Amino acid sequence: VCIHRVRSCSSIRFIKSKYVCVFDKSALKFSHQQRLFRTSAVSCGQIVQFKLSDIGEGITEVTVKEWYIKEGDSVSQFDSICEVQSDKASVTITSRYDGIIRKLHYNLDEIAYVGKPLVDIEIDASKGVAPEEDVVETPPMSHEEHTHQEIKGHKTLATPAVRRLAMENNIKLSEVVGTGKDNRILKEDILNYLAKQTGAILPPSPKPEIIPPLPKSETVPAAPKDKARKVPVPVSRPIVFSGKDKTEPITGFHKAMVKTMSAALKIPHFGYCDEIDLTQLVQLREELKPLAQIRGVKLSFMPFFIKAASLGLLQYPILNASLDESCQNVTYKASHNIGVAMDTEQGLIVPNVKNVQVCSVFEIASELNRLQSLGSAGQLGTNDLTGGTFTLSNIGTIGGTYAKPVILPPEVAIGALGKIQVLPRFNGKGEVFKAQIMNVSWSADHRIIDGATMARFSNLWKSYLENPASMLLDLK
């Protein structure tokens, strides 16, 4: 009778009859269909509601941008679960448990709140559960289900960006030695692995894929110089005319822009504009581009602009300062964390290159490549987007000449760089020559910066760029 009653219980499934033994009737309870019954042949699980933890910076809500798992998938600790985007940065959420995903609480582009359940994970009840998590008692899986969901082997710890980088370069993560915490594989580990395979030093590429070094016997082909002005081509998008108004919530980086620009309205801006002759810098960059490309880095004009700005900030530290809310104290920043405004599909973002004052032009270029790659993929972290002390915005990449840039609080100055144009100018002998001219537009906080200081800084920055060899005297 006992065996008959056990086989009739929906919560129990025996694989082989030899595992069946005699049980005490008092041990069997059938008052609830979801009570667990422990045997050696059945694994019982508990559902843990994995909550979205505080990701810092006072963030209370995020947007779910991508799921890396689905219901029924097996996960291990530190495996990536999803990518969320706040109004400050994109963050990858990792698992705290080994188990099986049973429920996703949000769809893509839905708002998830800090402290609320993100996913339900079924874990082994014998391993215990953190006390702050909510546990839901459920029936155990059958043997066939457990076999289907079993984790085969040890999973390598790596972020989605690193896994994507490895996949695009046909690298098996099991062959890479991780140097991060708990042997986590970092992006640098992938680059070092590639370097060993090719025998070269490969810094991060400006694109998601790595640019392999060119053989020494090959020469870098010169880019064709098309002097004809390029005609802007509209973006090809399907146009759907519904005849109805559409209302959308402001989320992500757009929400951050609303907050930042609202705070910027409290700052009394003043502007200063000038033009820069980049003829010598254009020639220097053309000479250095092939060398940088061999080392896997795309060399633009921006690293020179950033380094020249840092050299100028050493002479005028008031431009690398911040003013407190009560306007009673000025803090002079020791590090030159120079931000670069980027136009992405997610909106305007301003990551910054850290400690420019101790970086070479090549190191700045390498870091810019990394930031541009992550920005295009929407994977910039909070550390990349915070801590800026001075900002440059290169509107010339789109085609503008002049701008009126808005200061990014708590910074006190910002510069907007226009496009480089070939224009006629006069030399010292009164002869007309072809010059590479770029316009710059500065904005500064007039509460602590006067026009003379801004003009002197701009003149120093201009002299470094018009005579790039002079930068060698002050490089550290």
Short mmCIF file of all heavy atoms in Angstrom, two decimals, residues 346-393:
data_model
loop_
_atom_site.label_atom_id
_atom_site.label_comp_id
_atom_site.label_asym_id
_atom_site.label_seq_id
_atom_site.Cartn_x
_atom_site.Cartn_y
_atom_site.Cartn_z
N GLN A 346 22.62 55.20 -28.86
CA GLN A 346 21.94 55.39 -27.57
C GLN A 346 21.81 56.86 -27.19
O GLN A 346 21.14 57.18 -26.22
CB GLN A 346 22.71 54.65 -26.47
CG GLN A 346 22.69 53.14 -26.58
CD GLN A 346 23.69 52.61 -27.58
OE1 GLN A 346 24.70 53.26 -27.84
NE2 GLN A 346 23.41 51.47 -28.17
N GLY A 347 22.44 57.75 -27.95
CA GLY A 347 22.41 59.17 -27.64
C GLY A 347 23.80 59.71 -27.40
O GLY A 347 24.82 59.04 -27.64
N LEU A 348 23.88 60.95 -26.93
CA LEU A 348 25.16 61.59 -26.66
C LEU A 348 25.76 61.04 -25.37
O LEU A 348 25.13 61.07 -24.32
CB LEU A 348 24.97 63.10 -26.53
CG LEU A 348 26.22 63.91 -26.15
CD1 LEU A 348 27.25 63.84 -27.26
CD2 LEU A 348 25.86 65.35 -25.84
N ILE A 349 26.99 60.56 -25.46
CA ILE A 349 27.71 60.08 -24.28
C ILE A 349 29.07 60.76 -24.25
O ILE A 349 29.60 61.15 -25.30
CB ILE A 349 27.88 58.55 -24.28
CG1 ILE A 349 28.58 58.07 -25.56
CG2 ILE A 349 26.54 57.86 -24.12
CD1 ILE A 349 28.85 56.59 -25.58
N VAL A 350 29.63 60.91 -23.06
CA VAL A 350 30.92 61.60 -22.91
C VAL A 350 31.85 60.75 -22.04
O VAL A 350 32.02 61.04 -20.85
CB VAL A 350 30.74 63.01 -22.31
CG1 VAL A 350 32.05 63.78 -22.37
CG2 VAL A 350 29.65 63.78 -23.04
N PRO A 351 32.47 59.71 -22.60
CA PRO A 351 33.49 58.99 -21.83
C PRO A 351 34.75 59.84 -21.74
O PRO A 351 34.93 60.79 -22.51
CB PRO A 351 33.73 57.73 -22.67
CG PRO A 351 33.40 58.15 -24.06
CD PRO A 351 32.26 59.14 -23.93
N ASN A 352 35.62 59.52 -20.81
CA ASN A 352 36.82 60.32 -20.66
C ASN A 352 38.07 59.46 -20.58
O ASN A 352 38.04 58.32 -20.10
CB ASN A 352 36.72 61.23 -19.43
CG ASN A 352 36.48 60.47 -18.16
OD1 ASN A 352 37.39 59.93 -17.54
ND2 ASN A 352 35.21 60.40 -17.73
N VAL A 353 39.16 60.03 -21.09
CA VAL A 353 40.47 59.39 -21.03
C VAL A 353 41.11 59.80 -19.71
O VAL A 353 41.32 60.98 -19.44
CB VAL A 353 41.35 59.81 -22.21
CG1 VAL A 353 42.71 59.12 -22.14
CG2 VAL A 353 40.66 59.51 -23.53
N LYS A 354 41.43 58.81 -18.89
CA LYS A 354 41.93 59.08 -17.54
C LYS A 354 43.43 59.43 -17.56
O LYS A 354 44.20 58.87 -18.34
CB LYS A 354 41.71 57.85 -16.65
CG LYS A 354 40.24 57.46 -16.46
CD LYS A 354 39.51 58.46 -15.58
CE LYS A 354 38.16 57.94 -15.11
NZ LYS A 354 37.20 57.68 -16.15
N ASN A 355 43.81 60.38 -16.69
CA ASN A 355 45.22 60.72 -16.42
C ASN A 355 46.00 61.03 -17.69
O ASN A 355 47.08 60.49 -17.94
CB ASN A 355 45.90 59.59 -15.65
CG ASN A 355 45.26 59.35 -14.30
OD1 ASN A 355 45.04 60.28 -13.52
ND2 ASN A 355 44.95 58.10 -14.01
N VAL A 356 45.44 61.93 -18.50
CA VAL A 356 46.10 62.30 -19.75
C VAL A 356 47.46 62.93 -19.49
O VAL A 356 48.38 62.83 -20.32
CB VAL A 356 45.20 63.26 -20.55
CG1 VAL A 356 45.89 63.74 -21.82
CG2 VAL A 356 43.87 62.59 -20.90
N GLN A 357 47.62 63.58 -18.33
CA GLN A 357 48.88 64.27 -18.04
C GLN A 357 50.08 63.34 -18.00
O GLN A 357 51.22 63.79 -18.13
CB GLN A 357 48.76 65.05 -16.71
CG GLN A 357 48.84 64.21 -15.45
CD GLN A 357 47.53 63.55 -15.11
OE1 GLN A 357 46.55 63.66 -15.84
NE2 GLN A 357 47.47 62.88 -13.97
N VAL A 358 49.86 62.04 -17.83
CA VAL A 358 50.98 61.09 -17.79
C VAL A 358 50.91 60.11 -18.97
O VAL A 358 51.61 59.09 -18.96
CB VAL A 358 50.99 60.31 -16.46
CG1 VAL A 358 51.28 61.23 -15.30
CG2 VAL A 358 49.68 59.56 -16.25
N CYS A 359 50.10 60.40 -19.97
CA CYS A 359 49.95 59.51 -21.12
C CYS A 359 50.64 60.09 -22.35
O CYS A 359 50.68 61.31 -22.54
CB CYS A 359 48.47 59.28 -21.44
SG CYS A 359 47.56 58.35 -20.20
N SER A 360 51.15 59.19 -23.18
CA SER A 360 51.69 59.62 -24.47
C SER A 360 50.56 59.76 -25.48
O SER A 360 49.43 59.32 -25.24
CB SER A 360 52.70 58.59 -24.97
OG SER A 360 52.06 57.36 -25.26
N VAL A 361 50.89 60.35 -26.62
CA VAL A 361 49.88 60.49 -27.67
C VAL A 361 49.40 59.12 -28.14
O VAL A 361 48.21 58.91 -28.38
CB VAL A 361 50.45 61.31 -28.85
CG1 VAL A 361 49.49 61.31 -30.03
CG2 VAL A 361 50.75 62.75 -28.42
N PHE A 362 50.32 58.17 -28.24
CA PHE A 362 49.94 56.82 -28.66
C PHE A 362 49.03 56.16 -27.63
O PHE A 362 48.04 55.50 -27.99
CB PHE A 362 51.18 55.97 -28.89
CG PHE A 362 50.87 54.57 -29.31
CD1 PHE A 362 50.55 54.27 -30.63
CD2 PHE A 362 50.87 53.53 -28.38
CE1 PHE A 362 50.25 52.98 -31.01
CE2 PHE A 362 50.58 52.24 -28.76
CZ PHE A 362 50.27 51.95 -30.08
N GLU A 363 49.32 56.32 -26.35
CA GLU A 363 48.49 55.74 -25.30
C GLU A 363 47.09 56.36 -25.31
O GLU A 363 46.09 55.67 -25.08
CB GLU A 363 49.15 55.93 -23.94
CG GLU A 363 50.39 55.08 -23.74
CD GLU A 363 51.15 55.43 -22.48
OE1 GLU A 363 51.01 56.58 -21.99
OE2 GLU A 363 51.91 54.58 -21.99
N ILE A 364 47.02 57.65 -25.58
CA ILE A 364 45.71 58.31 -25.67
C ILE A 364 44.92 57.76 -26.85
O ILE A 364 43.73 57.49 -26.76
CB ILE A 364 45.89 59.84 -25.81
CG1 ILE A 364 46.55 60.41 -24.55
CG2 ILE A 364 44.55 60.53 -26.05
CD1 ILE A 364 46.96 61.86 -24.68
N ALA A 365 45.61 57.58 -27.99
CA ALA A 365 44.95 57.03 -29.18
C ALA A 365 44.43 55.63 -28.91
O ALA A 365 43.32 55.26 -29.32
CB ALA A 365 45.92 57.03 -30.36
N SER A 366 45.23 54.82 -28.22
CA SER A 366 44.81 53.45 -27.90
C SER A 366 43.58 53.46 -27.01
O SER A 366 42.64 52.68 -27.22
CB SER A 366 45.96 52.71 -27.21
OG SER A 366 45.56 51.41 -26.84
N GLU A 367 43.56 54.33 -26.00
CA GLU A 367 42.41 54.41 -25.10
C GLU A 367 41.17 54.93 -25.83
O GLU A 367 40.05 54.47 -25.60
CB GLU A 367 42.75 55.31 -23.91
CG GLU A 367 41.62 55.51 -22.92
CD GLU A 367 41.22 54.25 -22.18
OE1 GLU A 367 41.88 53.20 -22.38
OE2 GLU A 367 40.24 54.29 -21.41
N LEU A 368 41.36 55.88 -26.74
CA LEU A 368 40.23 56.38 -27.53
C LEU A 368 39.65 55.27 -28.38
O LEU A 368 38.42 55.17 -28.54
CB LEU A 368 40.68 57.54 -28.42
CG LEU A 368 40.73 58.93 -27.80
CD1 LEU A 368 41.24 59.94 -28.81
CD2 LEU A 368 39.37 59.35 -27.28
N ASN A 369 40.51 54.44 -28.98
CA ASN A 369 40.01 53.31 -29.75
C ASN A 369 39.14 52.41 -28.91
O ASN A 369 38.07 51.94 -29.34
CB ASN A 369 41.18 52.51 -30.32
CG ASN A 369 41.87 53.21 -31.48
OD1 ASN A 369 42.78 52.66 -32.10
ND2 ASN A 369 41.49 54.44 -31.79
N ARG A 370 39.58 52.14 -27.68
CA ARG A 370 38.81 51.28 -26.78
C ARG A 370 37.46 51.91 -26.43
O ARG A 370 36.41 51.23 -26.48
CB ARG A 370 39.60 51.03 -25.49
CG ARG A 370 38.93 50.05 -24.53
CD ARG A 370 39.68 49.96 -23.21
NE ARG A 370 39.51 51.17 -22.41
CZ ARG A 370 38.49 51.38 -21.58
NH1 ARG A 370 37.54 50.48 -21.45
NH2 ARG A 370 38.41 52.50 -20.89
N LEU A 371 37.46 53.19 -26.10
CA LEU A 371 36.22 53.88 -25.74
C LEU A 371 35.26 53.94 -26.92
O LEU A 371 34.04 53.76 -26.76
CB LEU A 371 36.53 55.29 -25.24
CG LEU A 371 37.32 55.38 -23.92
CD1 LEU A 371 37.66 56.83 -23.61
CD2 LEU A 371 36.54 54.76 -22.77
N GLN A 372 35.78 54.19 -28.11
CA GLN A 372 34.92 54.24 -29.29
C GLN A 372 34.33 52.88 -29.60
O GLN A 372 33.15 52.79 -29.99
CB GLN A 372 35.73 54.76 -30.48
CG GLN A 372 36.08 56.24 -30.37
CD GLN A 372 37.13 56.67 -31.38
OE1 GLN A 372 37.75 55.84 -32.06
NE2 GLN A 372 37.35 57.97 -31.49
N SER A 373 35.11 51.82 -29.41
CA SER A 373 34.60 50.47 -29.65
C SER A 373 33.49 50.13 -28.68
O SER A 373 32.43 49.63 -29.07
CB SER A 373 35.75 49.47 -29.53
OG SER A 373 35.28 48.15 -29.67
N LEU A 374 33.71 50.42 -27.39
CA LEU A 374 32.69 50.13 -26.39
C LEU A 374 31.48 51.04 -26.56
O LEU A 374 30.34 50.62 -26.35
CB LEU A 374 33.27 50.30 -24.99
CG LEU A 374 34.35 49.29 -24.58
CD1 LEU A 374 34.88 49.61 -23.18
CD2 LEU A 374 33.81 47.87 -24.61
N GLY A 375 31.71 52.30 -26.93
CA GLY A 375 30.60 53.22 -27.13
C GLY A 375 29.70 52.79 -28.28
O GLY A 375 28.48 52.88 -28.19
N SER A 376 30.30 52.31 -29.37
CA SER A 376 29.50 51.84 -30.52
C SER A 376 28.67 50.63 -30.15
O SER A 376 27.56 50.45 -30.66
CB SER A 376 30.43 51.51 -31.69
OG SER A 376 31.16 52.65 -32.10
N ALA A 377 29.21 49.78 -29.25
CA ALA A 377 28.50 48.58 -28.83
C ALA A 377 27.58 48.82 -27.65
O ALA A 377 26.88 47.92 -27.20
CB ALA A 377 29.50 47.47 -28.49
N GLY A 378 27.58 50.07 -27.11
CA GLY A 378 26.74 50.38 -25.96
C GLY A 378 27.19 49.68 -24.70
O GLY A 378 26.36 49.35 -23.85
N GLN A 379 28.50 49.48 -24.53
CA GLN A 379 29.00 48.71 -23.39
C GLN A 379 29.94 49.53 -22.51
O GLN A 379 30.73 48.96 -21.76
CB GLN A 379 29.73 47.46 -23.89
CG GLN A 379 28.81 46.48 -24.60
CD GLN A 379 29.56 45.29 -25.15
OE1 GLN A 379 30.78 45.29 -25.20
NE2 GLN A 379 28.84 44.27 -25.56
N LEU A 380 29.88 50.83 -22.58
CA LEU A 380 30.72 51.66 -21.72
C LEU A 380 30.29 51.50 -20.27
O LEU A 380 29.10 51.51 -19.95
CB LEU A 380 30.63 53.12 -22.14
CG LEU A 380 31.40 53.50 -23.41
CD1 LEU A 380 31.00 54.88 -23.88
CD2 LEU A 380 32.90 53.43 -23.18
N GLY A 381 31.26 51.37 -19.38
CA GLY A 381 30.97 51.21 -17.96
C GLY A 381 30.90 52.53 -17.24
O GLY A 381 31.23 53.60 -17.79
N THR A 382 30.49 52.48 -15.99
CA THR A 382 30.36 53.69 -15.18
C THR A 382 31.70 54.39 -15.02
O THR A 382 31.78 55.63 -15.06
CB THR A 382 29.79 53.35 -13.80
OG1 THR A 382 28.54 52.67 -13.97
CG2 THR A 382 29.57 54.60 -12.96
N ASN A 383 32.78 53.62 -14.87
CA ASN A 383 34.10 54.23 -14.68
C ASN A 383 34.52 55.03 -15.90
O ASN A 383 35.20 56.06 -15.78
CB ASN A 383 35.13 53.14 -14.39
CG ASN A 383 36.50 53.71 -14.12
OD1 ASN A 383 36.68 54.49 -13.19
ND2 ASN A 383 37.48 53.33 -14.92
N ASP A 384 34.12 54.59 -17.11
CA ASP A 384 34.48 55.30 -18.33
C ASP A 384 33.70 56.60 -18.48
O ASP A 384 34.17 57.54 -19.14
CB ASP A 384 34.21 54.42 -19.56
CG ASP A 384 35.10 53.20 -19.59
OD1 ASP A 384 36.27 53.31 -19.18
OD2 ASP A 384 34.63 52.12 -20.02
N LEU A 385 32.51 56.67 -17.89
CA LEU A 385 31.63 57.81 -18.11
C LEU A 385 31.62 58.82 -16.97
O LEU A 385 30.96 59.85 -17.06
CB LEU A 385 30.20 57.32 -18.35
CG LEU A 385 29.99 56.50 -19.63
CD1 LEU A 385 28.63 55.83 -19.63
CD2 LEU A 385 30.12 57.38 -20.86
N THR A 386 32.32 58.53 -15.90
CA THR A 386 32.32 59.43 -14.75
C THR A 386 33.74 59.89 -14.45
O THR A 386 34.72 59.28 -14.89
CB THR A 386 31.74 58.74 -13.51
OG1 THR A 386 32.49 57.54 -13.24
CG2 THR A 386 30.28 58.38 -13.72
N GLY A 387 33.84 60.97 -13.67
CA GLY A 387 35.14 61.46 -13.23
C GLY A 387 35.80 62.42 -14.19
O GLY A 387 36.97 62.76 -14.01
N GLY A 388 35.10 62.89 -15.22
CA GLY A 388 35.70 63.81 -16.18
C GLY A 388 35.99 65.17 -15.55
O GLY A 388 35.28 65.63 -14.65
N THR A 389 37.05 65.83 -16.04
CA THR A 389 37.44 67.14 -15.51
C THR A 389 37.47 68.22 -16.57
O THR A 389 37.51 69.41 -16.25
CB THR A 389 38.83 67.05 -14.85
OG1 THR A 389 39.80 66.64 -15.84
CG2 THR A 389 38.82 66.05 -13.70
N PHE A 390 37.46 67.84 -17.85
CA PHE A 390 37.54 68.79 -18.97
C PHE A 390 37.02 68.06 -20.19
O PHE A 390 37.22 66.84 -20.32
CB PHE A 390 38.99 69.25 -19.16
CG PHE A 390 39.18 70.35 -20.17
CD1 PHE A 390 39.08 71.68 -19.81
CD2 PHE A 390 39.48 70.05 -21.50
CE1 PHE A 390 39.28 72.69 -20.73
CE2 PHE A 390 39.68 71.05 -22.44
CZ PHE A 390 39.58 72.38 -22.05
N THR A 391 36.38 68.75 -21.12
CA THR A 391 35.73 68.06 -22.24
C THR A 391 36.06 68.73 -23.57
O THR A 391 36.12 69.96 -23.66
CB THR A 391 34.20 68.02 -22.05
OG1 THR A 391 33.90 67.30 -20.85
CG2 THR A 391 33.52 67.33 -23.22
N LEU A 392 36.24 67.89 -24.60
CA LEU A 392 36.36 68.34 -25.98
C LEU A 392 35.29 67.64 -26.81
O LEU A 392 35.07 66.43 -26.65
CB LEU A 392 37.74 68.00 -26.55
CG LEU A 392 38.94 68.77 -25.97
CD1 LEU A 392 40.24 68.25 -26.56
CD2 LEU A 392 38.80 70.27 -26.20
N SER A 393 34.62 68.38 -27.67
CA SER A 393 33.58 67.84 -28.53
C SER A 393 33.96 68.10 -29.98
O SER A 393 34.10 69.26 -30.39
CB SER A 393 32.22 68.48 -28.21
OG SER A 393 31.22 68.00 -29.08
#
